[in-house]
Amino acid sequence: MLFVVVSIGLSALSGNAQASGHIYLLRGLAGIFSTGLDALDEKLVQRGYNATVHGYDYYEGLAKEAAQLQKSGKGPIIIMGHSLGADAAIFMAEKMKTLGAPVALVVTFGPTVNLVAPSNVSQVINYYTGNTLVAKGPGFKGAISNVNLNSVPDINHLNIEKSNRLHASVISKIQTIAGHGRANPIVGHRRESPIAGQGRASPAAAVQ
C-alpha cells in the first residue's frame, strides 16, 4: 500500500515538473521583426520549458551564461534565432565551444549568410528561403537538416519564424531532447535571462 501511495505521489510530481535545460531565442534586426519568436516562446513556456527571448547582439554574454548552466548540470542548451538572430545562434554556439560547453540543438529560421556549425553542437535544423545553408564545421559529428522552404507560397524571410507548422515541428524536436515539460502554464513569465541579465524585454510586451 505504501508503495502504491509513493508511486502515485511521484507520478503527480513528475507531471508538474518543469522540463530540464534552457532554450534561448534570438531576435533579428532591431528586435522588432521577429515577433514569431515571442509566440514560440510563449508556447514553450506554457509547456513548462525554461525559455527566454533576447536581442541577437547579446549572444556573447548569453553564451557565457548558457555555458555556466550546462556545466552546472542544468542543460541541455537549445538555441534558436531568426534572420540576424539565426546567424547569432551559430555564433553563440561557437562561443560556447570556446568555453567547453556542448549545445544540444540549434534551430535557425532564415539566416542571412551561409553558416558553419561548430563541433560542440549535436544537431542543427536550418529552415531557409533563398540559399543560406548551414554546413558541417571541422570535427562536427552531429546532424544537420537544411529545410528548403522556397516552394512554400506562404513563407518568406519576414514571416518564416511565425509559421505554426514550423513551431509544432520545433516543439516536437525539443520534447525528444528536453522532455515533455508540463501541461500547466507558467504564470508571470519573465523573458530576461536568469543569470547574466543580458536579455531584452519583449517589444510586444512593452506595447501591450
Side-chain angles (χ1 to χ4, degrees):
M1 179 66 69
L2 178 61
F3 175 77
V4 173
V5 172
V6 171
S7 297
I8 294 174
L10 289 175
S11 298
L13 286 173
S14 62
N16 289 324
Q18 192 166 26
S20 61
H22 196 97
I23 304 167
Y24 294 88
L25 298 92
L26 306 180
R27 298 192 191 94
L29 182 65
I32 58 176
F33 298 110
S34 304
T35 57
L37 293 185
D38 294 283
L40 178 55
D41 174 70
E42 292 298 337
K43 293 175 184 178
L44 291 168
V45 168
Q46 288 177 1
R47 286 166 172 78
Y49 295 102
N50 293 306
T52 49
V53 187
H54 311 269
Y56 74 92
D57 47 344
Y58 285 113
Y59 75 87
E60 289 195 43
L62 294 172
K64 295 177 183 177
E65 171 188 298
Q68 181 178 340
L69 288 172
Q70 178 65 50
K71 291 180 179 180
S72 64
K74 297 179 181 178
I77 300 300
I78 296 171
I79 311 170
M80 298 188 280
H82 170 238
S83 192
L84 290 176
D87 304 348
I90 292 291
F91 302 156
M92 180 174 167
E94 290 175 345
K95 179 66 176 178
M96 289 183 65
K97 178 183 176 181
T98 68
L99 298 170
V103 178
L105 173 66
V106 174
V107 179
T108 53
F109 295 96
T112 68
V113 295
N114 290 324
L115 297 164
V116 177
S119 59
N120 62 321
V121 177
S122 297
Q123 186 170 359
V124 178
I125 302 174
N126 175 39
Y127 298 108
Y128 72 97
T129 56
N131 57 1
T132 50
L133 303 177
V134 179
K136 295 181 179 181
F140 183 89
K141 297 181 180 179
I144 296 180
S145 300
N146 285 295
V147 183
N148 187 336
L149 299 174
N150 285 306
S151 62
V152 181
D154 60 338
I155 291 182
N156 55 56
H157 181 76
L158 293 179
N159 68 13
I160 189 170
E161 91 295 355
K162 299 176 178 65
S163 168
N164 288 324
R165 288 170 291 176
L166 298 187
H167 287 184
S169 179
V170 168
I171 290 171
S172 177
K173 175 60 65 175
I174 290 171
Q175 288 174 337
T176 67
I177 295 172
H180 285 265
R182 62 184 178 189
N184 296 328
I186 296 175
V187 179
H189 173 45
R190 182 174 61 89
R191 288 199 175 102
E192 291 80 6
S193 59
I195 295 178
Q198 296 289 340
R200 282 180 174 172
S202 162
V207 171
Q208 293 176 351

